[in-house]
Amino acid sequence: MTPVQTGNKAPAEVRGTHQRRTGPAMNEAIVVGVNDSPSSEAAMGWAMRRAATLKLPVQLVHAVDDRWAYDSVGYNEWIRESGINFLAAAKDGAAKMEPTVKVTTDL
């Protein structure tokens, strides 16, 4: 087998098999974007199962678009509160999928 240069890292042998990542990245949370869609639910389910297997936390993230809102009528606060409520419900659903996984949220 021939050593190859892999980015800035030391040479590694090409074996034709998946090499498992190790190091700091494997100790961080699995981040999954959530919204109100079937594909988001599937992604959250995968993330929760994977996190349980690897004993990692999960961070649920949800984005809201407030670029077109007029803050003078309180719409920005309503959008923010809706996002927070959505994330709370998603966190509850995630906890039911895998109760042993720590779940955090970010809006």
Side-chain angles (χ1 to χ4, degrees):
M1 296 197 182
T2 307
V4 294
Q5 186 70 27
T6 55
N8 323 7
K9 298 179 181 177
E13 289 186 3
V14 177
R15 296 186 177 94
T17 60
H18 174 73
Q19 293 181 351
R20 186 172 178 84
R21 283 182 47 184
T22 59
M26 291 304 291
N27 295 325
E28 297 175 3
I30 296 174
V31 179
V32 60
V34 292
N35 60 29
D36 193 16
S37 70
S39 57
S40 172
E41 185 75 19
M44 186 170 69
W46 176 88
M48 293 303 292
R49 289 187 303 276
R50 185 76 174 150
T53 299
L54 297 175
K55 299 189 181 349
L56 293 174
V58 167
Q59 182 177 20
L60 303 177
V61 296
H62 180 66
V64 294
D65 185 4
D66 62 356
R67 293 176 292 176
W68 309 108
Y70 293 103
D71 195 33
S72 62
V73 294
Y75 192 66
N76 285 351
E77 187 59 29
W78 179 81
I79 290 173
R80 187 173 129 1
E81 286 177 14
S82 295
I84 290 169
N85 291 338
F86 175 80
L87 280 171
K91 185 176 180 178
D92 288 344
K96 289 176 184 170
M97 290 177 184
E98 293 289 346
T100 62
V101 174
K102 178 184 175 191
V103 179
T104 59
T105 63
D106 192 19
L107 180 63

